[in-house]
Amino acid sequence: MKGFNPKFENFPDYIIGITKEIWEDRGVATLHEYYAPDIVVRSPASIVLGNQNVIGATLATLAEFPDRELLGEDVIWSGTPEEGLLSSHRILTTATHLGDGVYGKATGKKLAYRVIADCHAKNNAIDDEWLIRDQGAIVRQMGRDPVEYARDLIKKEGGPELCVKPFSPSIDQIGPYTGRGNDNEWGARHADILTRIMNADITVIKAEYDRAIQSEVTGGITGYGWDPVERFWMGLRASFPSAKFQIEHQIGREDPYLSPRSAIRWGLTGKHDGWGSFGKPTGANVHIMGASHVEFGDIKPGEIKLRREWTLFDETAVWKQILLQTGDL
């Protein structure tokens, strides 16, 4: 870990350790050490430039969810300390909505939802980030509908002209990390599966997924078996049948005591021109920033299958794009 604080044993230890230090140990000021001054943080909801804005957003979140815990489920990573490291950190967050904030008046609701954060780090600091939070799961657990939440957010932010615009490639800022991951076989296998699904080859699910597949997907939905996986991916692709699918970043890994696994960050860009998970087609131009983690294994010797999947995107950011273009406010 050349260039990193020696208290961290390896890169996953660094990522999990600083996450706890910043959020749970209230070391918000350590962001001056662990985040570069001019960091670019992209999320489906916006793009944030500069560490000072990250600090402000962190304080606001802690004020609204003071008991927030971030449980690191996995860190799938690539790179070297000398050239830079990229982590895809999957987090299960628990929190109670105890303060007023962006989600409205405090409700006292207890939440559990996932986040996938892709972070580039070098010399003990993160300088580039892609952050996907399961906003659909958050607002549903508060008793709200993602469409209604997106509509209300536009109003709170000053209306369609003044509101924060969701992320799209057209507003992206180039940061220091321009890598695409690694060429590990498990990442390649995962990429092939995703690409086939997005090309409407739904047969790949029964062919490549284990019959007992456990899926954890957008909206906080847990599924068992092939049917939930088929419904999730078909519902998404059916809403945007002509949209362009692109793999933005791909990592495969094999580590001791862990299943072979993969992390892929992907994009879907195009028109809302089909009936699917997002209802009646509107013709709105939409960009979806998505992330997927998977694990492979063989219960039956010689038949290696995809056994667990986690896929996230922000439904509220998709609805915000649709509402802003249709004027259905």
Side-chain angles (χ1 to χ4, degrees), residues 8-317:
F8 300 113
E9 294 186 13
N10 56 25
F11 192 41
D13 185 37
Y14 169 82
I15 291 296
I16 291 172
I18 70 169
T19 300
K20 182 179 183 296
E21 197 172 330
I22 292 164
W23 289 96
E24 296 175 36
D25 299 342
R26 298 296 190 264
V28 180
T30 63
L31 281 164
H32 292 295
E33 174 186 357
Y34 295 134
Y35 271 42
D38 55 354
I39 185 172
V40 181
V41 180
R42 307 157 193 81
S43 73
S46 67
I47 183 167
V48 175
L49 304 176
N51 191 22
Q52 199 57 50
N53 289 323
V54 173
I55 291 172
T58 302
L59 288 169
T61 300
L62 282 172
E64 197 165 4
F65 303 98
D67 65 345
R68 187 173 189 235
E69 290 188 327
L70 294 90
L71 308 175
E73 292 186 322
D74 202 357
V75 178
I76 302 174
W77 61 279
S78 63
T80 66
E82 293 78 13
E83 296 181 355
L85 295 149
L86 193 289
S87 65
S88 192
H89 184 195
R90 190 179 74 249
I91 302 162
L92 178 64
T93 291
T94 61
T96 311
H97 189 213
L98 296 173
D100 299 346
V102 68
Y103 295 100
K105 293 289 184 181
T107 62
K109 298 282 189 180
K110 292 189 177 295
L111 311 176
Y113 59 92
R114 282 186 170 82
V115 178
I116 293 178
D118 282 14
C119 295
H120 176 255
K122 191 175 182 180
N123 296 324
N124 209 49
I126 293 171
D127 54 20
D128 234 351
E129 184 169 356
W130 294 259
L131 175 69
I132 302 173
R133 185 181 294 113
D134 190 355
Q135 293 278 66
I138 294 172
V139 301
R140 284 187 179 92
Q141 289 173 75
M142 291 181 176
R144 305 183 68 182
D145 176 76
V147 185
E148 177 267 327
Y149 172 80
R151 186 177 285 117
D152 185 54
L153 189 61
I154 293 169
K155 292 176 183 176
K156 283 182 178 178
E157 293 174 346
E161 298 301 324
L162 299 176
C163 72
V164 178
K165 301 303 184 289
F167 178 84
S168 69
S170 63
I171 66 170
D172 196 10
Q173 299 287 316
I174 303 300
Y177 183 69
T178 57
R180 301 297 296 269
N182 63 24
D183 59 359
N184 178 279
E185 65 174 301
W186 301 107
R189 182 166 177 173
H190 183 195
D192 178 66
I193 292 169
L194 272 184
T195 301
R196 287 173 64 184
I197 289 172
M198 286 297 177
N199 286 336
D201 181 6
I202 305 303
T203 63
V204 72
I205 292 172
K206 286 188 172 69
E208 294 290 340
Y209 284 67
D210 191 274
R211 183 168 174 265
I213 173 70
Q214 178 180 335
S215 54
E216 304 283 349
V217 299
T218 294
I221 298 171
T222 300
Y224 302 99
W226 289 321
D227 288 349
V229 176
E230 289 185 352
R231 288 198 302 272
F232 171 74
W233 284 112
M234 284 196 294
L236 174 62
R237 194 47 161 154
S239 289
F240 310 98
S242 67
K244 179 184 177 183
F245 172 72
Q246 184 166 338
I247 291 174
E248 306 288 351
H249 197 270
Q250 172 183 316
I251 304 172
R253 283 199 69 84
E254 291 182 77
D255 291 292
Y257 308 112
L258 293 170
S259 299
R261 60 212 202 281
S262 166
I264 289 181
R265 177 164 32 86
W266 48 269
L268 191 61
T269 308
K271 289 188 178 299
H272 176 217
D273 54 359
W275 282 92
S277 302
F278 289 88
K280 180 181 178 181
T282 61
N285 289 304
V286 167
H287 175 73
I288 299 175
M289 180 194 298
S292 300
H293 284 191
V294 300
E295 293 180 358
F296 293 92
D298 60 342
I299 295 296
K300 184 176 180 180
E303 289 190 7
I304 298 175
K305 300 287 186 178
L306 195 161
R307 300 192 64 237
R308 295 184 183 89
E309 177 177 39
W310 298 262
T311 290
L312 299 183
F313 60 86
D314 181 349
E315 296 166 88
T316 69

